[in-house]
Amino acid sequence: MRVKIFQNLYFCKGGNTLAILETRNLVKKFGNFTALNGVNMEVNKGEVYGFIGPNGAGKSTTIRILLGILKATSGEAKIFGMDAWKDAVEIHKRIAYVPGDVNLWPNLTGGEVIDLFVKLRGGNNKSRREDLIERFDLDPTKKCRTYSKGNRQKVALVAAFASDADLYILDEPTSGLDPLMERVFQDYVMEAKNEGKSVLLSSHILSEVERLCDHVGIIRQGEIIESGSLKDLRHLTRTHLTIETKEEIPNLHLIDGVHRVEKQDKEINFQVDTEKMDEIMRHVSQFGIVKLESAPPKLEDLFMRHYDSSEAENRG
Ligand code: ADP
Ligand code: MG
């Protein structure tokens, strides 16, 4: 087993658990344009952090700063307690990175590229590499220049998951994968998490984030506008209900926490703030429930609330 000499540095500061990855007030300007405007995030050991937001929100910029490729204008970016810019060489020994658009050396085969990456990062488990290649259904004998986007993505994913890393930084890593391979990818993320490793996963596939992530940060125009555990965030979301009652419910739309009431014959569709569910159901049940269907709150609903301005106005 490898001895991790930096372990004490980041686990025992002041008796608190120190984050594996942390940014504080991270600002990045490109000329006059502010791409990041004070980004705060924290990824802890054994945690999968879902970093979500639309194109142009600042996900890749944040990640490039964390990788030491870009220098922040101001603020802090730390990995394993070390400075992302100054200590990049030390940090890189223990992280694996997969970008959304993978460029590989055109004249090397996929297998050669995988070997090269794995060698650089340490980790020399041949059977692990073979398993990964088989599960991702990759032909490692082909030259990289002949690979499709999806296959280049697979090469990078195999190399990342074959490496002995403590932190995986994945920037929209599944953008070229078909649903079957998406599933394989998710299995490996879960495996890494179960081994106590940490993952920063930037994604715009909300179902993927919902399935994998413990903690979610939503970024918009360079600012984190919502962050918390998926459980906490669900609390802020609405549950969709379809209901039929014996007697008509008077003024349902006026009840606090009820939204978007729509009648369809005998049925009523509406949404309730999940935190007001109990109260609302008590009230509604007085009118004799004949039929009740509910759909659980989705991360997508929460996400969309931030991008639907008329909704945002109603939130207050
Ligand atoms: P995301 O990964 O969330 O899609 P990015 O971090 O790539 O977003 O981009 C955030 C914003 O910063 C975008 O408006 C993008 O055009 C801008 N940007 C990114 N890199 C540069 C750069 N090197 N020079 C100027 N603007 C950039
Ligand atoms: Mg990006």
Side-chain angles (χ1 to χ4, degrees):
M1 208 178 126
R2 278 204 317 169
V3 179
K4 301 199 169 99
I5 43 171
F6 288 100
Q7 206 152 36
N8 290 338
L9 274 179
Y10 66 96
F11 284 127
C12 303
K13 193 177 152 196
N16 293 329
T17 309
L18 212 67
I20 293 283
L21 180 159
E22 191 177 18
T23 72
R24 238 183 247 163
N25 267 321
L26 203 61
V27 173
K28 178 66 193 177
K29 294 189 175 170
F30 294 109
N32 286 331
F33 176 72
T34 304
L36 301 181
N37 191 16
V39 168
N40 292 300
M41 62 197 291
E42 195 178 303
V43 184
N44 296 305
K45 186 168 163 29
E47 194 173 76
V48 183
Y49 183 104
F51 193 25
I52 59 181
N55 280 339
K59 302 179 298 293
S60 297
T61 302
T62 306
I63 285 173
R64 287 192 195 111
I65 292 172
L66 285 162
L67 291 168
I69 299 170
L70 279 179
K71 195 166 195 273
T73 305
S74 63
E76 275 183 55
K78 289 187 163 180
I79 294 181
F80 310 129
M82 293 182 275
D83 186 276
W85 178 257
K86 287 188 214 137
D87 304 319
V89 173
E90 205 52 55
I91 291 169
H92 281 228
K93 291 177 186 165
R94 292 166 52 203
I95 62 177
Y97 164 60
V98 178
D101 200 2
V102 178
N103 287 307
L104 303 164
W105 293 276
N107 289 323
L108 296 185
T109 66
E112 285 165 343
V113 170
I114 291 166
D115 285 343
L116 182 64
F117 273 116
V118 173
K119 231 180 228 161
L120 284 174
R121 288 181 193 134
N124 192 18
N125 191 333
K126 268 261 181 302
S127 70
R128 165 102 181 146
R129 176 186 175 279
E130 297 314 313
D131 285 350
L132 275 154
I133 286 172
E134 199 185 310
R135 292 226 32 222
F136 275 111
D137 193 22
L138 176 75
D139 179 354
T141 62
K142 292 220 170 101
K143 296 261 198 237
C144 287
R145 84 171 104 78
T146 68
Y147 284 134
S148 64
K149 177 174 160 69
N151 280 326
R152 292 200 301 272
Q153 207 77 33
K154 289 178 183 181
V155 170
L157 285 166
V158 169
F161 288 118
S163 308
D164 186 13
D166 293 325
L167 171 67
Y168 295 83
I169 297 183
L170 311 173
D171 189 2
E172 310 219 23
T174 56
S175 47
L177 295 189
D178 60 49
L180 211 63
M181 292 303 136
E182 165 75 34
R183 216 40 211 244
V184 174
F185 164 77
Q186 293 181 4
D187 288 347
Y188 280 108
V189 172
M190 286 316 286
E191 184 192 278
K193 176 184 153 63
N194 292 335
E195 287 171 1
K197 296 167 172 191
S198 310
V199 181
L200 172 61
L201 171 64
S202 117
S203 179
H204 59 248
I205 306 171
L206 297 180
S207 58
E208 172 181 280
V209 173
E210 209 154 22
R211 191 167 294 140
L212 297 173
C213 299
D214 311 280
H215 200 106
V216 171
I218 302 178
I219 186 169
R220 178 190 185 179
Q221 295 176 355
E223 286 178 43
I224 305 269
I225 48 168
E226 192 93 70
S227 103
S229 73
L230 215 45
K231 207 170 139 226
D232 291 343
L233 294 183
R234 279 225 172 84
H235 212 69
L236 301 170
T237 61
R238 294 175 188 166
T239 300
H240 298 237
L241 295 176
T242 301
I243 196 167
E244 188 185 326
T245 49
K246 278 191 205 132
E247 296 165 46
E248 194 170 327
I249 310 167
N251 292 323
L252 179 63
H253 65 287
L254 294 179
I255 296 170
D256 191 25
V258 171
H259 307 269
R260 299 199 168 190
V261 178
E262 283 168 20
K263 275 197 92 165
Q264 271 187 353
D265 296 330
K266 288 178 180 173
E267 291 181 0
I268 315 169
N269 295 310
F270 61 107
Q271 300 176 7
V272 300
D273 290 340
T274 304
E275 57 190 2
K276 298 241 169 64
M277 178 88 88
D278 188 41
E279 240 172 89
I280 292 166
M281 291 317 294
R282 258 181 243 234
H283 177 75
V284 163
S285 67
Q286 301 174 72
F287 302 92
I289 295 175
V290 180
K291 178 184 168 183
L292 173 69
E293 285 168 16
S294 92
K298 284 231 157 90
L299 185 58
E300 191 176 336
D301 298 332
L302 175 72
F303 191 73
M304 289 317 290
R305 273 172 82 179
H306 289 287
Y307 295 94
D308 178 350
S309 54
S310 61
E311 280 281 289
E313 275 161 24
N314 289 336
R315 261 193 298 149

